[in-house]
Amino acid sequence: MSRARTPRYTVPGLGVDEGRQVIDLLTPRLHALNDLALTLKHIHWNVVGPHFIAVHEMLDPQTAAVRDMADTAAERISALGGEPNGTPGALVRERTWDDYSVGRADAIAHLGALDLVYTGIIEDHRAAAEKAADIDPVTEDLLIEHLRGLEQFQWFVRAHLESGSGALSTTGADTEEAAAEAASPKAAAAKRTPAKKTALPAPAKKTAKKAVKKTTASRRTTR
């Protein structure tokens, strides 16, 4: 992604070069939040299965909250003297990730893939907050507030993927498709179904022992 131009002015207490550095931190976060809002709506429209209504309705408040996060990121860029670009073309041109890859699918499978999406955004938000701390604590605070909401939403998602022992069904999955497959009801059912026991062969009849007994008995009677 190209660097922002140095603003003509910025917030009091920061130099214009420092303002540009913070704008450079916030711009990819703005793109990520706009992309997440669209992804959440895509999932909202494409979930199916017995958990449809629960997941369908869970995602709308998350979408609204993420849109608010994007709005605060964009307004912070403006306050710093920058020019937030929220067009689809800028998002696609400057992002470093691919489109969400799961279409119409079971609701829990979608949540498996969404867990990976949240992980990527949260990790990048944390890295940006850490860098902002050295330049602008106000922007750091903004990103921390975003993280509070994003991590709560990921908890909501993971509650559907967690077993009673605390393990996530998507552990080890490193792509959205793999995570969706691991979280799908078919995969969960396969893990719960015990392996069929192989029938043991019937025990051999003790014909030899009986034959010995008969021989002994006949010997006794002939004496």
Side-chain angles (χ1 to χ4, degrees), residues 175-187:
T175 67
E176 291 163 2
E177 294 93 337
E181 178 66 25
S184 68
K186 288 183 180 179

Side-chain angles (χ1 to χ4, degrees), residues 50-124:
H51 301 281
F52 161 77
I53 197 64
V55 175
H56 181 76
E57 293 188 347
M58 179 183 75
L59 294 178
D60 260 346
Q62 295 189 22
T63 304
V66 170
R67 283 173 175 164
D68 285 343
M69 294 176 194
D71 190 50
T72 58
E75 289 178 350
R76 184 62 182 166
I77 291 171
S78 290
L80 289 160
E83 182 181 350
N85 193 338
T87 65
L91 193 163
V92 173
R93 183 173 62 252
E94 298 180 5
R95 69 183 180 180
T96 57
W97 58 90
D98 295 325
D99 271 342
Y100 182 76
S101 57
V102 181
R104 192 172 182 83
D106 180 86
I108 304 303
H110 266 298
L111 293 184
L114 180 57
D115 179 43
L116 258 64
V117 173
Y118 268 123
T119 293
I121 289 176
I122 288 168
E123 287 176 348
D124 289 346

Side-chain angles (χ1 to χ4, degrees), residues 105-221:
D106 180 86
I108 304 303
H110 266 298
L111 293 184
L114 180 57
D115 179 43
L116 258 64
V117 173
Y118 268 123
T119 293
I121 289 176
I122 288 168
E123 287 176 348
D124 289 346
H125 243 65
R126 281 181 167 270
E130 186 176 350
K131 291 176 181 177
D134 296 330
I135 311 167
D136 178 23
V138 176
T139 296
E140 178 197 19
D141 183 66
L142 175 71
L143 294 171
I144 289 172
E145 185 62 27
H146 289 176
L147 282 162
R148 188 174 291 112
L150 292 170
E151 290 179 1
Q152 183 185 52
F153 295 155
Q154 187 179 35
W155 168 50
F156 292 168
V157 169
R158 285 182 165 181
H160 294 78
L161 308 173
E162 186 178 0
S163 68
S165 63
L168 293 176
S169 60
T170 53
T171 298
D174 57 2
T175 67
E176 291 163 2
E177 294 93 337
E181 178 66 25
S184 68
K186 288 183 180 179
K191 290 177 182 178
R192 289 194 301 269
T193 304
K196 291 183 179 180
K197 294 182 179 179
T198 305
L200 296 174
K205 294 181 179 180
K206 299 180 181 179
T207 53
K209 192 172 183 181
K210 288 182 179 179
V212 171
K213 284 185 177 180
K214 286 181 179 179
T215 305
T216 306
S218 64
R219 285 177 182 173
R220 284 177 182 170
T221 54

